[in-house]
Amino acid sequence: VSLYKTALTNPGYLNDVFTSEIKEISLPIMSSNLNSFMNQFEKTSMNGPLTRDEFSTIINAYHHLISNSDNIDIRDSMILCSSCLRWKQERTHHCKKCDKCVRKMDHHCPWIGNCIGEYNYKYFILTIIYGFLSSFTITLIYPKYIIHILKINPFSFCIYISFSYACILILFGFSLYLIITNFDCVIHNITLIE
C-alpha cells in the first residue's frame, strides 16, 4: 500500500495557484518597485520564451529588489526557478525528469517513477522499512528452506537457490543502505539534494 501511495501521491509540485499565492503575499508587502518589476516580468514572459539576456536581466533586477527589501521572510523565501520561470519557496528544486518544481524534493526515484517530495516522503520511508523487514525475514527463513531442499534432493536446485539467495542478500543490503541514508536525512531535516 505504501508503495502505491508513494507513486500516486503528489510529491509537492508547484502549480499556478501556489505561484499566485506567493505573488499575493509578497506584492502588498514589498515596495511599488517590485510591483512594476512583476508587471514587466509578466509582460515579457507572455510575449514568448525569454532569451538568456532577458532572463539574466530579470534575475539580476529581482535579486537587487529582494536584497534591498526590509522584509526578511520574503527576501529569504522567494526564488525564481530558471527552468520553469515560477516563483518558488526555499528548499524547492526543479526536477528535470518531471519538468516541475517540487517542494522539499529529495530525489526522482526511477523505481517508483515519481519524485520524492514533501507530501510523499513519509510513504517512501514506509516502503523502505517494509522492504527491509521483508528481506530481513526472508534472509532468516531461506537458509532453513535451502537445507530442507538439499536433504530431499541434493544438488537439484543448487544454482537456482544460490542465485535467489544472492539476490535476497543484495536486496537486504540495498534496503539497509536506503534506511541508513534516509534516516540520517530525517534526523538532520535535510534532503538528499541538500
Side-chain angles (χ1 to χ4, degrees):
V1 173
S2 61
L3 176 66
Y4 291 115
K5 292 286 275 183
T6 304
L8 299 177
T9 301
N10 179 349
Y13 294 129
L14 293 187
N15 54 20
D16 294 328
V17 174
F18 178 74
T19 306
S20 64
E21 285 175 7
I22 291 177
K23 289 179 185 177
E24 288 173 14
I25 292 169
S26 65
L27 288 178
I29 296 172
M30 305 293 283
S31 66
S32 60
N33 291 336
L34 184 59
N35 285 331
S36 62
F37 166 72
M38 291 291 287
N39 290 334
Q40 182 63 34
F41 171 73
E42 288 174 357
K43 287 178 190 174
T44 308
S45 61
M46 286 182 189
N47 293 335
L50 298 174
T51 65
R52 187 178 299 254
D53 293 334
E54 289 173 330
F55 184 73
S56 63
T57 303
I58 289 171
I59 294 294
N60 291 336
Y62 166 75
H63 283 297
H64 176 71
L65 287 171
I66 295 298
S67 63
N68 292 332
S69 169
D70 293 334
N71 190 328
I72 294 172
D73 293 335
I74 297 299
R75 182 178 12 164
D76 291 341
S77 65
M78 288 184 60
I79 302 166
L80 186 63
C81 178
S82 61
S83 299
C84 61
L85 299 177
R86 291 185 179 194
W87 298 105
K88 61 183 183 177
Q89 288 179 326
E90 185 179 332
R91 299 183 73 187
T92 302
H93 299 280
H94 188 84
C95 177
K96 293 178 182 176
K97 293 186 179 163
C98 296
D99 198 30
K100 294 180 182 178
C101 285
V102 181
R103 295 169 72 171
K104 292 186 184 175
M105 180 179 170
D106 191 65
H107 66 284
H108 183 90
C109 185
W111 304 103
I112 294 174
N114 196 6
C115 288
I116 307 301
E118 181 178 20
Y119 299 130
N120 65 352
Y121 192 69
K122 169 188 163 185
Y123 303 118
F124 178 70
I125 294 292
L126 288 174
T127 302
I128 293 171
I129 290 171
Y130 295 149
F132 171 76
L133 291 176
S134 298
S135 62
F136 180 72
T137 304
I138 293 171
T139 304
L140 292 179
I141 295 172
Y142 205 68
K144 294 176 186 176
Y145 175 72
I146 292 172
I147 292 171
H148 177 69
I149 292 285
L150 290 177
K151 283 182 183 176
I152 296 171
N153 236 346
F155 306 110
S156 61
F157 295 107
C158 191
I159 295 174
Y160 167 74
I161 291 171
S162 301
F163 179 72
S164 61
Y165 194 64
C167 290
I168 291 169
L169 287 176
I170 290 170
L171 176 65
F172 175 73
F174 183 65
S175 60
L176 182 63
Y177 164 74
L178 288 175
I179 284 178
I180 291 169
T181 55
N182 282 288
F183 274 117
D184 186 50
C185 290
V186 169
I187 289 169
H188 293 100
N189 192 22
I190 59 173
T191 62
L192 290 176
I193 293 176
E194 297 168 350

